[in-house]
Amino acid sequence: MKQAELLIHADADDLAYAVASRLITRVVDAQSTGGVAHVVLTGGRVAAVVYRAVAESPARNQIDWQRVEFWWGDERFLPDGDPDRNETQGREALLSHLDVDPARVHPMPADTGQGAEAAAAAYAEELVAAGSPKFDVLMLGVGPDGHVASLFPGYPQLEVTDAAAVAVHDSPKPPPTRVSLTFPRLDRAREVWFVVSGEDKADAVAQALSGGDVPAAHAKGQDRTLWLLDQAAASKLS
């Protein structure tokens, strides 16, 4: 596993458009041998700009979108279509603009009364049914507390090693109930990209990159780990 790479961009917009371009290139590369690309989407303010930039880019036509499998790293456990769900953001900003195969889009289950534990188990089963794929690109945001996906500092889900996905209750940020991939599953990615903007994330970024004990320090790609930052998020790095 190689050392993490750091790329700093002028501002949030420059960051988002650079990530969009990089994502298109990476998916093209993954499909170059005729295979299917597996991409893990995230949520958040920068992610929305990234997705819109991909959807608007003429270069998107280089990709066979019918041969892309879309996954999510975590989800707010809310009813289907809720605007706070990462799936809703991803569909509106990206997937609705592409010729994707609906069978290759794998949202985490919405809240239909079944409970978050059942939703997490169902997502783990869906990964198995898909052949437990290695993700080609897994995008993650980082919270001001250093959390990634919905794995929060001090929470027991950080220690889970025998499940691909877990329920999270009493989240320190709303909504309180979530579903998240675990570290063993996040680490089953060829490339992990941390996409982070804003001065409010600067302390967490500095802690993670200096080996501090925050969740963001523990997710690593098997081939490559990229920290893609704007100047504000990188402002506390030495």
Side-chain angles (χ1 to χ4, degrees):
M1 192 177 294
K2 297 180 180 178
Q3 186 175 3
E5 301 171 52
L6 176 63
L7 295 169
I8 301 173
H9 301 273
D11 55 33
D13 283 343
D14 281 355
L15 168 65
Y17 280 90
V19 172
S21 178
R22 184 178 293 276
L23 179 60
I24 290 170
T25 300
R26 182 69 188 92
V27 174
V28 169
D29 287 347
Q31 290 184 341
S32 63
T33 57
V36 173
H38 290 263
V39 175
V40 180
L41 302 178
T42 186
R45 62 198 183 208
V46 178
V49 183
V50 171
Y51 301 153
R52 286 195 293 270
V54 171
E56 294 168 0
S57 173
R60 77 179 198 181
N61 295 322
Q62 299 175 39
I63 295 172
D64 179 357
W65 293 104
Q66 291 277 312
R67 290 193 294 119
V68 182
E69 302 263 358
F70 292 96
W71 304 87
W72 274 264
D74 75 317
E75 188 56 275
R76 288 90 180 269
F77 192 57
L78 296 166
D80 186 43
D82 190 289
D84 285 337
R85 277 178 60 83
N86 293 333
E87 176 199 357
T88 305
Q89 179 192 69
R91 288 188 183 277
E92 290 179 350
L94 179 64
L95 302 182
S96 65
H97 303 281
L98 305 174
D99 181 26
V100 300
D101 179 352
R104 295 189 187 272
V105 179
H106 307 277
M108 290 184 166
D111 182 3
T112 59
Q114 80 278 40
E117 283 76 13
Y123 207 62
E125 291 170 5
E126 187 161 355
L127 283 161
V128 171
S132 297
K134 281 189 177 181
F135 304 129
D136 292 288
V137 176
L138 183 147
M139 290 184 286
L140 293 170
V142 176
D145 60 355
H147 81 267
V148 289
S150 285
L151 301 174
F152 296 97
Y155 277 54
Q157 291 83 3
L158 296 175
E159 308 301 328
V160 172
T161 59
D162 60 353
V166 289
V168 179
H169 298 283
D170 300 318
S171 161
K173 58 181 292 189
T177 305
R178 296 159 175 256
V179 176
S180 180
L181 296 184
T182 59
F183 278 123
R185 202 61 188 77
L186 294 176
D187 290 344
R188 192 173 169 79
R190 291 184 171 90
E191 296 193 9
V192 169
W193 298 1
F194 293 94
V195 183
V196 193
S197 74
E199 191 174 359
D200 60 325
K201 312 291 183 66
D203 285 331
V205 168
Q207 288 182 59
L209 286 171
S210 64
D213 188 21
V214 294
H218 301 294
K220 300 183 186 301
Q222 295 186 356
D223 297 336
R224 198 177 193 193
T225 304
L226 284 175
W227 282 80
L228 303 160
L229 312 174
D230 67 2
Q231 289 280 4
S235 61
K236 299 292 181 68
L237 296 176
S238 58

